[in-house]
């Protein structure tokens, strides 16, 4: 019996993994979803710690799958990168969110938009010019748009990426180093790239009040941002304690479930009305 079991297990292991073909089907579906704008954008508020004012929103991609419901980006961003669709996806998120925020700002808000970029999406040399004219056509200033790049996604030594990021900065866009502290080269990236914002990863923020190491990292990151005279954003603020800690350390901007979870565009204006009461 044991031998039989062993052989069965063995056969199970050598069977071709369903991973490959399944991912391919998924990639085809994703491609179709990007084209037909089934990738929606949800928005998460960013709040000024000192004034409690709404200052910005981060655009976060959501895939509205007809059968499977909402699929979170951690599932499909990697696939989009692997199969060369990330630029299309970023374009779709940019197009939808720029249109949306320009409508909101015409209604009287004055908020900025943060959009996530992948390193592989930062290899087209004309991006700064294209973005500049897209924004101008929507009546927004360049400083209304912040481009978030995760340090771990940044290529180590491509001068083309550095060139694009520098030209984005020269055009007046914001540049944020996302998930700060989680990569291997945070400090070097900070030295090489003209960032305007440091976004502390939520792993150092949530529950930091019970963790000495998190607190030390949080404190140093905030003072680093201050020394560099750039904005500091704490993400993943989930509780009053998290808020109090980052506020006491002098962080400028807060984002997290304590304020609001990401929400679809239709819920945003009602949320703001409720929040500002
Ligand atoms: P991220 O850029 O670090 O985005 C923040 C993530 O943290 C979001 O997850 C958000 O829903 C979640 N979050 C916000 N506040 C809290 C909190 O208080 N507690 C906890 N536990 N989580 C919080 P989401 O939307 O699932 O996105 C995951 C990641 O997928 C993003 O991480 C980003 O790296 C990537 N992503 C999302 N949209 C896009 C996109 O349009 N393009 C690219 N390239 N990447 C995207
Ligand atoms: Ca982000
Ligand atoms: Ca982040
Ligand atoms: Ca992250």
């Amino acid at each position: 019996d044991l031998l039989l079991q062993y052989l069965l297990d063995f056969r199970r292991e050598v069977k071709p993994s369903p991973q490959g073909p399944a991912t391919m089907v998924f990639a085809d579906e994703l491609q179709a979803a990007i084209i037909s704008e089934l990738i929606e954008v949800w928005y998460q508020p960013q709040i000024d710690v000192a004034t409690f004012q709404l200052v910005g929103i981060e655009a976060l991609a959501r895939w509205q799958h007809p059968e499977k419901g909402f699929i979170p980006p951690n599932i499909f961003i990697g696939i989009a990168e692997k199969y060369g669709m990330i630029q299309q996806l970023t374009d779709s998120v940019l197009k939808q969110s720029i249109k949306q925020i320009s409508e909101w700002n015409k209604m009287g808000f004055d908020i900025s938009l943060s959009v996530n970029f992948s390193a592989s999406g930062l290899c087209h040399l004309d991006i700064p010019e294209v973005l500049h004219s897209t924004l101008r056509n929507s009546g927004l200033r360049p400083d209304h748009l912040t481009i978030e790049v995760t340090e771990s996604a940044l290529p180590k030594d491509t001068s083309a990426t550095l060139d694009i990021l520098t030209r984005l900065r020269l055009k007046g866009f914001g540049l944020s180093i996302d998930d700060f502290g989680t990569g291997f080269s945070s400090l070097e990236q900070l030295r090489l790239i003209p960032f305007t914002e440091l976004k502390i990863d939520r792993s150092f923020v949530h529950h930091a009040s019970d963790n000495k190491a998190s607190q030390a990292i949080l404190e140093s990151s905030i003072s680093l941002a201050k020394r560099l005279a750039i904005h500091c954003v704490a993400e993943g603020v989930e509780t009053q304690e998290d808020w109090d800690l980052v506020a006491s350390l002098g962080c400028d901007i807060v984002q997290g479930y304590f304020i609001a979870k990401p929400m679809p565009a239709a819920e945003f204006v009602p949320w703001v009305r409720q929040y500002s009461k």
Side-chain angles (χ1 to χ4, degrees), residues 58 116 148 150 178-180 199-202 235:
E58 179 175 5
N116 295 285
E148 294 193 2
T150 53
D178 199 358
D179 297 352
F180 183 77
K199 201 164 181 184
I200 307 170
D201 190 67
R202 66 166 180 265
E235 66 175 18

Side-chain angles (χ1 to χ4, degrees), residues 49 222-223 226 232 244-253:
V49 177
I222 294 170
S223 63
K226 292 213 179 306
C232 182
D244 291 345
L245 179 66
V246 297
S248 72
L249 295 175
C251 185
D252 308 311
I253 298 162

